Each structure stands twice: as C-alpha cells, then as structure tokens.
Amino acid sequence: MSVTSRYRDAWEGFWREAPDEPGAVFWDAEPGVTAAVHVSLFEPHLTDPGLPLVDLGCGNGTQTRFLAGRFPRVLGVDIAEAALEHARHADPAEVVRYRVLDAAEKTEAEALHAELGDANVYMRGVLHQCEPDDRQPLTDAIATLVGTRGRVFLVELSEAARPVLGGLAQSPAGPPPKLAPIFRHGIAPGEVADDAVPEYLRNAGLSVLAGGELPLTTTEFTPDGEPIVLPSKWVLAGREN
C-alpha cells in the first residue's frame, strides 16, 4: 500500500465516523479563535488579496466557510472525500467549492495551478500529520500553488505540543473522547521540529516573511473542564519580489 493510500484510507475512515455537529472534531474550533486570528496576521502580507485562496487540508470546511467571507474566491481541498461530504453538507448554499486533492503529488498541484493561476494558501496542522518523507514534497506543492505572487500561511503544532498530547493519550482514563478517534485511525500527530518548517519552505524556493507563536484552541476539555489549548507556531512565506 502506498503512503498516499494509507493517508487516504486513514482519513476516509476518520471522517466517515465523525459526527456532523459543529465542534465534534478535536481541532474543529470556532473560526473566531482560529481562522479569524490567522487572517489578521495573513492579510497585511498579501501582495494580491484577489488571488484565489486554497484552504489546503480543509476537512469539514468550518474555517473554509469563514475564509469565503473574507476572500473573493476560496477553494477547499482535502485528501478525503468523506471530509468534503461533511463540508458540503454544512454548506447547502455552496458558498465554497471543494475538491479532493493529494497535495503531496506534484502533478496534482501542477494541474491545480494551471487551472487557478497563482494562489494564496492557508494550511493548518497538515505537515505534522505527514510522514517525514512527504513533508518536503507537500511544501514543494505549496510553492507550486503560490507561484510568484501568492503567499502561504502555515500553522503547525510546536514541539512543545507533543508532551501535552502524549500526556492526554496516556491518561489512566484513556485519551479524551475527541482525541481517541485520531489515534484509533492511525493519524496520531507526529513531531515536526520547530526549525524544520522554515527549512522546508526555503528548500521549496520560498522566503519566510513573518512568523510567531499562537495558542491552538481545540474543542476538547480537561477533566477539570478547562479547554485544551496546544502551543503552535505560524509562518508566512512567499517569493520575494
């Protein structure tokens, strides 16, 4: 079985089981504490806000639909058709277009760029779900989509998130209910070194233009009722003009 097949099968299984209710998935936080925060950091650096915006790894489209209210053309892409079924179900007015895309496949990224032209790209928490050997090809595909005029905004769990997630997974009571399906389907978060993400971008021919740290709010709670917030880092990159 290829790496792509493993990813697709794992994510298809996860999303087929996932409830439709907002917030039922571990990372499916309200846009007000996720995409809205990211857009405020992203927009000032865009050379052309009118370019298509690709939400890469859009899942059930919660953030994508918010982005569609801020940008004129938004496309949500994901490797799992089951995820896009959730997205379309939640978007009966078809505010956003969705399609299956394996972004680690060079030819698929090239075909999408040929269709859209240069694009701005938003990606949240995808690199750390990839096998190490697929992280650079995925970043190369992002560079293809960005072209010469686009920008990419990436948010990834920081190294400091790993012990937090490990502690949750190894709790005597078992992992929290919304975290358990991630591990069950074999898509447990991997570790991406904090300094590796800028290096992937530079290797893809992109320049890091800005970056920083952010709390990543989840929809799960500790046994004490406190929301689980994970440390993350954001990076904005593009080709310098």
Side-chain angles (χ1 to χ4, degrees):
M1 182 184 293
S2 70
V3 171
T4 295
S5 295
R6 290 203 305 273
Y7 288 156
R8 182 171 284 115
D9 290 349
W11 283 110
E12 290 286 0
F14 173 84
W15 282 111
R16 278 195 298 269
E17 286 187 11
D20 274 327
E21 291 77 20
V25 172
F26 183 71
W27 55 81
D28 192 30
E30 286 288 330
V33 295
T34 48
V37 177
H38 302 152
V39 165
S40 69
L41 298 167
F42 192 15
E43 282 184 322
H45 294 276
L46 298 179
T47 58
D48 188 348
L51 293 177
L53 177 71
V54 177
D55 183 3
L56 203 164
C58 68
N60 63 358
T62 298
Q63 312 308 320
T64 325
R65 291 185 291 279
F66 171 84
L67 294 168
R70 300 293 295 266
F71 297 93
R73 291 181 292 166
V74 175
L75 175 67
V77 300
D78 201 278
I79 197 171
E81 177 61 38
L84 302 184
E85 290 174 3
H86 280 280
R88 295 185 184 108
H89 180 264
D91 186 16
E94 298 183 351
V95 172
V96 179
R97 290 187 300 136
Y98 300 97
R99 71 172 65 177
V100 172
L101 179 78
D102 180 357
E105 286 292 329
K106 181 180 178 181
T107 56
E108 293 194 28
E110 289 174 340
L112 184 57
H113 181 262
E115 175 187 339
L116 298 178
D118 291 355
N120 294 314
V121 176
Y122 173 76
M123 190 174 84
R124 184 173 68 109
V126 176
L127 274 176
H128 74 265
Q129 298 287 1
C130 294
E131 298 285 346
D133 289 346
D134 289 325
R135 292 171 188 159
Q136 188 62 59
L138 173 58
T139 314
D140 293 343
I142 290 171
T144 296
L145 295 174
V146 164
T148 59
R149 295 183 296 149
R151 295 286 186 261
V152 55
F153 186 90
L154 305 182
V155 182
E156 292 292 334
L157 295 179
S158 69
E159 292 177 51
R162 187 173 180 83
V164 178
L165 287 167
L168 293 170
Q170 295 166 17
S171 166
K178 294 179 185 178
L179 189 58
I182 300 173
F183 293 108
R184 186 169 66 250
H185 286 282
I187 48 178
E191 181 176 344
V192 180
D194 291 344
D195 58 1
V197 176
E199 190 65 20
Y200 290 136
L201 291 164
R202 285 189 286 266
N203 290 342
L206 301 177
S207 298
V208 174
L209 306 174
E213 299 181 359
L214 282 174
L216 191 150
T217 303
T218 76
T219 62
E220 190 58 277
F221 296 85
T222 67
D224 297 329
E226 294 295 320
I228 294 173
V229 179
L230 301 173
S232 71
K233 289 185 175 288
W234 65 271
V235 181
L236 185 136
R239 289 186 171 85
E240 291 185 296
N241 299 321

Coordinates of all heavy atoms in Angstrom, one line a residue, residues 156-205:
E156 N 1.3 25.1 12.5 CA 1.6 23.8 12.9 C 1.9 23.7 14.4 O 2.3 24.7 15.0 CB 2.9 23.3 12.2 CG 2.8 23.1 10.7 CD 1.9 22.0 10.3 OE1 1.7 21.0 11.1 OE2 1.3 22.0 9.2
L157 N 1.5 22.6 15.0 CA 1.8 22.4 16.4 C 3.3 22.5 16.6 O 4.1 22.1 15.8 CB 1.4 21.0 16.8 CG -0.1 20.6 16.8 CD1 -0.3 19.2 17.2 CD2 -0.9 21.6 17.7
S158 N 3.7 23.2 17.7 CA 5.1 23.3 18.0 C 5.6 22.0 18.7 O 4.8 21.2 19.1 CB 5.3 24.5 18.9 OG 4.7 24.3 20.2
E159 N 6.9 22.0 18.9 CA 7.5 20.8 19.6 C 6.9 20.7 21.0 O 6.7 19.6 21.6 CB 9.0 21.0 19.7 CG 9.7 20.8 18.4 CD 11.2 21.1 18.5 OE1 11.8 20.5 19.4 OE2 11.7 21.9 17.7
A160 N 6.6 21.8 21.6 CA 6.0 21.8 23.0 C 4.7 21.2 23.1 O 4.2 20.8 24.2 CB 6.0 23.3 23.5
A161 N 4.0 20.9 22.0 CA 2.7 20.3 22.0 C 2.8 18.8 22.2 O 1.8 18.2 22.7 CB 1.9 20.6 20.7
R162 N 3.9 18.2 21.8 CA 4.0 16.8 21.9 C 3.8 16.2 23.3 O 3.0 15.3 23.5 CB 5.3 16.3 21.2 CG 5.4 14.8 21.1 CD 6.6 14.4 20.3 NE 6.7 12.9 20.2 CZ 6.1 12.2 19.3 NH1 5.4 12.8 18.4 NH2 6.3 10.9 19.2
P163 N 4.5 16.7 24.3 CA 4.3 16.2 25.6 C 2.9 16.4 26.1 O 2.4 15.6 26.9 CB 5.3 16.9 26.5 CG 5.8 18.1 25.7 CD 5.6 17.7 24.3
V164 N 2.2 17.5 25.7 CA 0.9 17.7 26.1 C 0.0 16.6 25.5 O -0.9 16.0 26.2 CB 0.4 19.1 25.7 CG1 -1.1 19.3 26.1 CG2 1.3 20.2 26.2
L165 N 0.1 16.4 24.2 CA -0.7 15.3 23.6 C -0.4 14.0 24.2 O -1.3 13.1 24.4 CB -0.5 15.3 22.1 CG -1.1 16.5 21.3 CD1 -0.5 16.6 19.9 CD2 -2.6 16.4 21.3
G166 N 0.9 13.7 24.4 CA 1.3 12.4 25.0 C 0.7 12.2 26.4 O 0.2 11.1 26.7
G167 N 0.6 13.3 27.2 CA 0.0 13.1 28.5 C -1.5 12.8 28.4 O -2.0 12.0 29.1
L168 N -2.1 13.5 27.4 CA -3.6 13.2 27.2 C -3.8 11.8 26.7 O -4.7 11.1 27.2 CB -4.1 14.2 26.2 CG -4.2 15.7 26.6 CD1 -4.5 16.5 25.4 CD2 -5.2 15.9 27.7
A169 N -3.0 11.3 25.8 CA -3.1 10.0 25.3 C -2.9 8.9 26.3 O -3.5 7.8 26.3 CB -2.2 9.8 24.1
Q170 N -2.0 9.2 27.3 CA -1.6 8.2 28.3 C -2.3 8.3 29.6 O -2.0 7.7 30.6 CB -0.1 8.2 28.5 CG 0.7 7.9 27.2 CD 2.1 8.3 27.3 OE1 2.7 8.5 28.4 NE2 2.8 8.3 26.1
S171 N -3.3 9.2 29.6 CA -4.1 9.3 30.8 C -4.7 8.0 31.3 O -5.1 7.2 30.5 CB -5.3 10.3 30.6 OG -6.2 10.3 31.6
P172 N -4.7 7.7 32.6 CA -5.3 6.5 33.1 C -6.7 6.2 32.6 O -7.1 5.1 32.4 CB -5.2 6.7 34.6 CG -4.2 7.7 34.9 CD -4.2 8.6 33.7
A173 N -7.4 7.3 32.4 CA -8.8 7.2 31.9 C -8.9 7.0 30.3 O -10.0 6.9 29.8 CB -9.6 8.4 32.3
G174 N -7.7 7.0 29.7 CA -7.7 7.0 28.3 C -7.7 8.4 27.7 O -8.0 9.3 28.4
P175 N -7.4 8.5 26.4 CA -7.5 9.8 25.8 C -8.9 10.4 25.8 O -9.9 9.7 25.8 CB -7.0 9.5 24.3 CG -7.3 8.1 24.1 CD -7.1 7.4 25.4
P176 N -9.0 11.7 25.8 CA -10.3 12.4 25.7 C -11.1 11.9 24.5 O -10.5 11.5 23.5 CB -9.9 13.9 25.6 CG -8.5 14.0 26.1 CD -7.9 12.7 25.8
P177 N -12.4 11.9 24.6 CA -13.3 11.3 23.6 C -13.0 11.8 22.2 O -13.1 11.1 21.2 CB -14.7 11.7 24.1 CG -14.6 11.8 25.5 CD -13.2 12.4 25.8
K178 N -12.7 13.1 22.1 CA -12.5 13.7 20.7 C -11.1 13.4 20.2 O -10.8 13.6 19.0 CB -12.8 15.2 20.7 CG -14.2 15.5 21.0 CD -14.4 17.0 21.0 CE -15.9 17.4 21.4 NZ -16.1 18.9 21.5
L179 N -10.2 13.1 21.1 CA -8.8 12.7 20.6 C -8.7 11.3 20.3 O -7.9 10.9 19.4 CB -7.8 13.1 21.8 CG -6.3 13.1 21.4 CD1 -6.0 14.0 20.3 CD2 -5.5 13.4 22.6
A180 N -9.5 10.4 20.9 CA -9.3 9.0 20.7 C -9.5 8.5 19.3 O -8.7 7.7 18.8 CB -10.4 8.3 21.6
P181 N -10.5 9.1 18.5 CA -10.6 8.6 17.1 C -9.4 8.9 16.3 O -9.1 8.2 15.3 CB -11.8 9.4 16.6 CG -12.6 9.8 17.8 CD -11.5 10.0 18.9
I182 N -8.6 10.0 16.6 CA -7.4 10.3 15.8 C -6.4 9.2 16.0 O -5.9 8.7 15.0 CB -6.9 11.6 16.3 CG1 -7.9 12.8 16.1 CG2 -5.6 12.0 15.5 CD1 -7.5 14.1 16.7
F183 N -6.2 8.8 17.2 CA -5.3 7.7 17.4 C -5.8 6.3 16.9 O -5.0 5.5 16.3 CB -5.0 7.5 18.9 CG -4.2 8.7 19.5 CD1 -4.9 9.6 20.4 CD2 -2.9 8.9 19.2 CE1 -4.2 10.7 20.9 CE2 -2.2 10.0 19.8 CZ -2.8 10.9 20.6
R184 N -7.1 6.1 17.0 CA -7.7 4.9 16.6 C -7.5 4.7 15.1 O -7.3 3.5 14.6 CB -9.1 4.8 17.0 CG -9.8 3.4 16.6 CD -11.1 3.3 17.3 NE -12.1 4.2 16.7 CZ -12.6 5.3 17.4 NH1 -12.2 5.5 18.6 NH2 -13.5 6.1 16.8
H185 N -7.5 5.7 14.3 CA -7.4 5.6 12.9 C -6.0 5.8 12.4 O -5.7 5.9 11.2 CB -8.3 6.7 12.2 CG -9.8 6.3 12.3 ND1 -10.3 5.4 11.4 CD2 -10.7 6.8 13.1 CE1 -11.6 5.3 11.7 NE2 -11.9 6.1 12.7
G186 N -5.0 5.8 13.3 CA -3.6 5.8 12.9 C -3.2 7.1 12.3 O -2.2 7.2 11.5
I187 N -3.8 8.2 12.8 CA -3.4 9.5 12.3 C -2.9 10.4 13.5 O -3.1 11.6 13.5 CB -4.5 10.2 11.5 CG1 -5.8 10.2 12.2 CG2 -4.6 9.6 10.1 CD1 -6.9 10.9 11.5
A188 N -2.3 9.8 14.4 CA -1.8 10.5 15.6 C -0.8 11.5 15.1 O 0.1 11.2 14.3 CB -1.2 9.5 16.6
P189 N -0.8 12.7 15.7 CA 0.2 13.7 15.3 C 1.6 13.3 15.5 O 2.0 12.7 16.5 CB -0.2 14.9 16.2 CG -1.6 14.6 16.7 CD -1.7 13.1 16.8
G190 N 2.4 13.6 14.5 CA 3.8 13.3 14.6 C 4.5 14.6 15.0 O 3.9 15.7 15.1
E191 N 5.8 14.5 15.2 CA 6.6 15.6 15.7 C 7.3 16.3 14.5 O 8.0 15.6 13.8 CB 7.6 15.2 16.7 CG 8.4 16.3 17.3 CD 9.4 15.9 18.4 OE1 9.2 14.8 18.9 OE2 10.3 16.7 18.7
V192 N 7.1 17.6 14.4 CA 7.9 18.4 13.4 C 8.7 19.4 14.2 O 8.1 20.2 14.9 CB 6.9 19.1 12.4 CG1 7.7 19.9 11.4 CG2 6.0 18.1 11.7
A193 N 10.0 19.3 14.0 CA 10.8 20.3 14.7 C 10.5 21.7 14.4 O 10.1 22.0 13.2 CB 12.3 20.0 14.4
D194 N 10.5 22.6 15.3 CA 10.1 24.0 15.1 C 10.9 24.6 14.0 O 10.4 25.4 13.2 CB 10.3 24.8 16.4 CG 9.3 24.4 17.5 OD1 8.3 23.7 17.1 OD2 9.5 24.8 18.6
D195 N 12.2 24.3 13.9 CA 13.0 24.9 12.9 C 13.0 24.2 11.5 O 13.5 24.7 10.5 CB 14.5 25.0 13.3 CG 15.1 23.7 13.6 OD1 14.4 22.7 13.5 OD2 16.3 23.6 14.0
A196 N 12.2 23.1 11.4 CA 12.1 22.3 10.2 C 11.2 23.0 9.2 O 11.4 23.0 8.0 CB 11.7 20.9 10.5
V197 N 10.1 23.6 9.7 CA 9.1 24.2 8.8 C 9.7 25.3 8.0 O 9.5 25.3 6.7 CB 7.9 24.7 9.6 CG1 6.9 25.4 8.7 CG2 7.2 23.5 10.3
P198 N 10.4 26.3 8.5 CA 11.0 27.3 7.7 C 12.0 26.7 6.7 O 12.1 27.2 5.6 CB 11.7 28.2 8.7 CG 11.0 28.0 10.0 CD 10.6 26.6 10.0
E199 N 12.7 25.6 7.1 CA 13.7 25.0 6.2 C 12.9 24.3 5.0 O 13.4 24.4 3.9 CB 14.5 23.9 7.0 CG 15.7 23.4 6.2 CD 16.7 24.4 5.9 OE1 16.8 25.5 6.6 OE2 17.5 24.2 5.0
Y200 N 11.8 23.7 5.3 CA 11.0 23.1 4.2 C 10.6 24.2 3.2 O 10.7 24.0 2.0 CB 9.8 22.4 4.7 CG 10.0 21.1 5.5 CD1 9.3 20.9 6.7 CD2 10.8 20.1 5.0 CE1 9.4 19.8 7.4 CE2 11.0 19.0 5.8 CZ 10.3 18.8 6.9 OH 10.5 17.6 7.7
L201 N 10.2 25.3 3.7 CA 9.8 26.4 2.8 C 11.0 27.0 2.0 O 10.8 27.2 0.8 CB 9.2 27.5 3.7 CG 7.8 27.2 4.3 CD1 7.5 28.2 5.4 CD2 6.7 27.2 3.3
R202 N 12.1 27.1 2.6 CA 13.3 27.6 1.9 C 13.7 26.6 0.8 O 14.1 27.0 -0.3 CB 14.4 27.9 2.9 CG 14.2 29.2 3.7 CD 15.4 29.6 4.5 NE 15.6 28.8 5.6 CZ 15.2 29.0 6.9 NH1 14.5 30.2 7.1 NH2 15.4 28.2 7.9
N203 N 13.7 25.4 1.2 CA 14.1 24.3 0.2 C 13.1 24.3 -1.0 O 13.5 23.9 -2.1 CB 14.1 23.0 0.8 CG 15.2 22.8 1.8 OD1 16.2 23.5 1.8 ND2 15.1 21.8 2.7
A204 N 11.9 24.8 -0.8 CA 10.9 24.8 -1.9 C 11.0 26.1 -2.7 O 10.2 26.4 -3.6 CB 9.5 24.7 -1.3
G205 N 11.9 27.0 -2.3 CA 12.1 28.2 -3.0 C 11.4 29.4 -2.5 O 11.3 30.4 -3.2

